Amino acid sequence: MLAAIEEARKSMSQGGLPIGSVLVRDGKIVARGHNQRVQKGDPMAHAEIDCLTHAGRQKSYKDTVLYSTLMPCYLCSGAVVQFGVPRVIVGESVNFAGGPEFMRRHNVDVVDLQNADCIEMMKKFIAEHPELWSEDIGK
């Protein structure tokens, strides 16, 4: 989770949303990513999508764990289900509920850590940049 938080901070330092993600296999980071929707002007550049893109082609995701600082939205939850990532460990879902039930219905083990650092980082960002947040979640 610490590496995902680093990615979230990296995005924030670039003027983007503080959401980070890492893909892990056998305790080693396979790929990192962060929300780059603002930086790239790309509505699909969510942290989890960026991370999976950086992972490149994988023969299988069955032995991976995806970490994300924020509960994945339905776009990112769909990618998790599509590629068969079996476990997602999330920093928080207080600021955004996301799609945990969708993932669970597709046999993904979703663990929500309710991490205080993740909660506070997102809460502060939403308060300071409500227009970017609303744009990111399609409101």
Side-chain angles (χ1 to χ4, degrees), residues 72-98:
C73 68
Y74 284 102
L75 169 70
C76 299
S77 295
V80 164
V81 170
Q82 178 67 35
F83 293 115
V85 176
R87 189 164 205 225
V88 176
I89 300 178
V90 178
E92 68 112 341
S93 63
V94 171
N95 291 293
F96 182 69

Side-chain angles (χ1 to χ4, degrees), residues 39-120:
Q39 298 93 311
K40 292 183 174 181
D42 180 355
M44 303 298 281
H46 288 211
E48 299 85 352
I49 301 299
D50 187 52
C51 180
L52 291 169
T53 299
H54 284 121
R57 292 178 57 201
Q58 301 287 313
K59 289 184 181 187
S60 174
Y61 293 86
K62 302 288 184 208
D63 59 346
T64 64
V65 177
L66 184 71
Y67 289 80
S68 182
T69 58
L70 186 67
M71 185 63 73
C73 68
Y74 284 102
L75 169 70
C76 299
S77 295
V80 164
V81 170
Q82 178 67 35
F83 293 115
V85 176
R87 189 164 205 225
V88 176
I89 300 178
V90 178
E92 68 112 341
S93 63
V94 171
N95 291 293
F96 182 69
E101 293 311 316
F102 172 80
M103 290 186 285
R104 288 181 180 121
R105 278 194 308 271
H106 290 88
N107 301 313
V108 177
D109 178 26
V110 180
V111 178
D112 188 345
L113 301 176
Q114 295 297 304
N115 178 283
D117 291 336
C118 292
I119 293 168
E120 185 57 33

Side-chain angles (χ1 to χ4, degrees), residues 17 19 35 37 43 46 70-75 95-98 122 125-126 129-139:
L17 283 83
I19 306 168
N35 188 298
R37 196 183 54 73
H46 288 211
L70 186 67
M71 185 63 73
C73 68
Y74 284 102
L75 169 70
N95 291 293
F96 182 69
M122 200 70 229
F125 179 84
I126 292 168
H129 306 282
E131 71 291 341
L132 282 178
W133 174 243
S134 292
E135 184 183 316
D136 193 64
I137 60 171
K139 292 206 176 192

